[in-house]
Amino acid sequence: MTTLNRTLILVVAFSLLFAQIVGASDGAEVFDIKKGEIIQTIENSNSLQNQVKEWLSTANRNVGSLRVEPNDGIAIKITLMPPYKVNNDRIIGTVTEVVLFISPSNTYFPTLLVFTKENGLFAVHVKTHSLKTFLKENKLYKPELNLSKPLLSSNG
């Protein structure tokens, strides 16, 4: 229960931090997890919104643990404008915001935390074929970041 409480507190604090600093129309906020600060803003464009929609459509596996956030790496918070309705095997609801976590850890895979209007919260792994391109285009790519996808297990 302690891990669950810690995760929920971090998720709520993370969301409140971003909400207080920048409005949704200002674009995506890139957060350095280790430093504990926002390091970059990405312009809110059609390209950014379409990128998020692609990640949502390629969500390929629910995160199997309560540890959603990594200890190191980056988090990118993106508000969808307008909210985007998703109904697939992994996510159901009208998505209002996502937070993408990427870490250098070889045991932490790119994870998308998805917030919906219906108060749903989903944590899913995303396929990464366009993730490297997205990071490079936004000057966020570092070779040490783990962009691989988790291996499928018998229950995944």
Side-chain angles (χ1 to χ4, degrees), residues 64-76:
S65 72
L66 296 177
R67 184 177 160 243
V68 174
E69 81 290 341
N71 296 324
D72 191 8
I74 58 173
I76 306 168

Side-chain angles (χ1 to χ4, degrees), residues 4 17 24 32-33 52 59 73 81 84 107 117 120 127 130 145:
L4 176 60
L17 171 70
D32 182 302
I33 295 168
V52 174
M81 297 180 61
Y84 180 66
T107 60
K117 275 187 179 180
K127 291 184 182 175
S130 66
L145 290 174

Side-chain angles (χ1 to χ4, degrees), residues 58-149:
T58 64
N60 64 353
R61 188 169 181 202
N62 290 332
V63 173
S65 72
L66 296 177
R67 184 177 160 243
V68 174
E69 81 290 341
N71 296 324
D72 191 8
I74 58 173
I76 306 168
K77 179 210 159 253
I78 305 166
T79 300
L80 281 117
M81 297 180 61
Y84 180 66
K85 191 161 183 76
V86 177
N87 187 357
N88 63 33
D89 292 344
R90 305 291 180 204
I91 305 165
I92 298 170
T94 306
V95 179
T96 56
E97 183 175 276
V98 299
V99 180
L100 178 66
F101 293 101
I102 306 170
S103 172
S105 169
N106 62 354
T107 60
Y108 187 90
F109 304 97
T111 300
L112 193 65
L113 191 60
V114 181
F115 296 88
T116 67
K117 275 187 179 180
E118 297 81 7
N119 297 319
L121 177 63
F122 301 88
V124 294
H125 292 298
V126 292
K127 291 184 182 175
T128 58
H129 61 277
S130 66
L131 189 52
K132 186 175 183 179
T133 303
F134 170 79
L135 293 172
K136 282 184 173 185
E137 287 173 354
N138 291 287
K139 297 177 178 53
L140 295 169
Y141 177 74
K142 294 179 183 174
E144 64 269 16
L145 290 174
N146 180 9
L147 300 181
S148 62
K149 63 183 178 182

Side-chain angles (χ1 to χ4, degrees), residues 26-82:
D26 292 339
E29 297 292 326
V30 181
F31 186 79
D32 182 302
I33 295 168
K34 199 170 222 173
K35 290 180 183 176
E37 63 187 39
I38 294 171
I39 57 171
Q40 183 178 332
T41 301
I42 300 171
E43 180 184 348
N44 192 0
S45 64
N46 284 335
S47 175
L48 178 64
Q49 297 290 305
N50 289 333
Q51 181 65 65
V52 174
K53 291 173 185 175
E54 181 182 323
W55 293 335
L56 290 167
S57 70
T58 64
N60 64 353
R61 188 169 181 202
N62 290 332
V63 173
S65 72
L66 296 177
R67 184 177 160 243
V68 174
E69 81 290 341
N71 296 324
D72 191 8
I74 58 173
I76 306 168
K77 179 210 159 253
I78 305 166
T79 300
L80 281 117
M81 297 180 61

